[in-house]
Amino acid sequence: MNTIQTQVAIIGAGPSGLLLGQLLNKQGISNIIVERATGDYVLGRIRAGILETGFANLCREAGAGERMDAEGEVHQGFLVSIEGKETRIDLSDLTGGKAVMCYGQVEITRDLMDLRQAGDLPTYYESSNVEVSNPEGAKPGLSFEHNGESYQVECDFIAGCDGFHGVSRKSIPAEIITEHERVYPFGWLGVLSETPPVDDELIYCKHERGFALCSMRSQTRSRYYLQVPLTDKVEDWSDDAFWDELKKRIPPKAAERLVTGPSIEKSIAPLRSFVCEPMQYRNLFLVGDAAHIVPPTGAKGLNLAASDVDALSKVLQRFYETGDRSVLEKYSPMALARVWHGERFSWWMTNMLHQFPDLGVDGLDPETFDRFMRSQAEYYLGTEHGRRMIAEQYVGLPYSSLD
Ligand code: RFL
Ligand code: PHB
């Protein structure tokens, strides 16, 4: 048995775990990361593309902003197309100059990984049987297996950054937490291709055939999504079928410009709203997707993970400076205040832009729900104050402060 002593044991080397590790390290707080998968597997998951300014700033603070600033693209607005009628949300104009950064989750994860490796910070990829012990005690621990050897970690705190299916949330006694969940009756089929994006800005489309999103990773790499039934399988969708369906759902002018090509990644993600309250059990803290999930329509998942990381790193820094344990209780309320805003915005955008086939939603029959959503889109997209409300939330609400 190998024994490791550290201040903070982090489970999961996704963006939450890596960013937290980096910020803690900058504050002189020792940490290790234990990850189930290989680094390549983590980098193979094509997910987020849009970073709020708060997240971009946090990456810079962590020392991981250089490539993002050189290669990422600042987006000052995006388009919403409802049945072909386009409205631009001018983020900059509506928010006094704010914008978002278009830079892939894969790239920021790679930058954080490189930084961790350069700092020689302990990271155990391909670990199995990761188990949390004694989270309520003064000396919590973590055990795991790695390269055929057993490890026992003795630490002050555990940060559960292990995503929705991880072990950390399951280590909290059921009676302590309340889980709020909504599963949507459809998924997103995503395609990544080495083709120039169809537009300079993202286009969110509502169409009678379902939602579509035109996004990008660079001037030569595009990311597109289609709303599909949960029963669909990736194998059901040839590249040609994907492009044909996309052309039907996006504005006609965009469809004419669309450059198609072979997919280099294709996957289906289910859509879910989920919050676990509280996000803390004594010395165990839940961070990012381990505590909450949003449907990707508002581009908020990774950005909420970043504000959790910001809150936890501030709380831990204050604790190690003062020894005052009462500050630890601030993490969950601080993080959740922002999480619920992101959950509501993502749910609201999802309802407005998707088709809800054959289903009554929120106790309404399908037709009434559809009318409400059309009215919502007309009102919010058709008025400046409505567009401002969307813009303010899309660029990101302010982070919670510790004091
Ligand atoms: P992750 O990325 O899931 O990382 C968790 C890590 O924990 C590891 N793990 C374990 N390690 C050890 N032991 C165990 N027992 C473990 N169990 C799990 C996993 O292997 C993994 O490496 O969670 P994290 O770090 O909290 O990051 C969250 C983000 O990944 C997520 O919120 C975003 O990707 C959501 N999201 C988007 N967010 C945005 O802010 N903007 C977007 O534009 C955006 N687009 C998206 C998205 C998510 C999508 N999908 C596929 C769900 C688009 C899509 C399609
Ligand atoms: C993406 O580029 O993957 C992306 C962008 C915006 C979203 C969701 C996903 O709302």
Side-chain angles (χ1 to χ4, degrees), residues 17 30 39 91 104 116 146 167 172 185 187 204 209 221 235 280 289 293 305 314-315 327 330 340 362 364 381 403:
S30 65
L91 296 173
R116 194 164 177 93
H146 175 75
V167 288
I172 302 180
Y204 290 81
R209 299 179 67 88
R221 191 171 271 204
E235 308 78 73
Q280 176 187 0
D289 278 16
I293 296 286
K314 283 180 179 150
V315 160
V327 72
K330 294 194 175 180
W340 276 112
D362 299 336
L364 300 169
L381 296 171
D403 298 303

Side-chain angles (χ1 to χ4, degrees), residues 12 15-16 35-36 45 47-49 105 162 289 299-303:
S16 299
E35 164 63 50
R36 183 174 56 185
R45 289 185 298 219
R47 290 184 172 180
Q105 176 167 337
D162 48 351
D289 278 16
K300 285 286 160 264
L302 181 58
N303 290 305

Side-chain angles (χ1 to χ4, degrees), residues 24 71 150-151 155 159 192 212-213 263-264 269-270 278 289 367 383 385:
L24 293 179
E71 296 176 20
S150 299
Y151 288 79
C155 55
L192 187 70
L213 171 61
S263 61
I264 49 176
D289 278 16
E367 204 181 315
T383 60
H385 50 274

Side-chain angles (χ1 to χ4, degrees), residues 47-50 188 202 204 213 215-217 223 225 296-299 394:
R47 290 184 172 180
I50 295 293
W188 276 18
L202 270 62
Y204 290 81
L213 171 61
S215 182
M216 64 196 77
R217 291 291 176 272
R223 180 71 166 157
Y225 296 99
T297 325
Y394 195 83

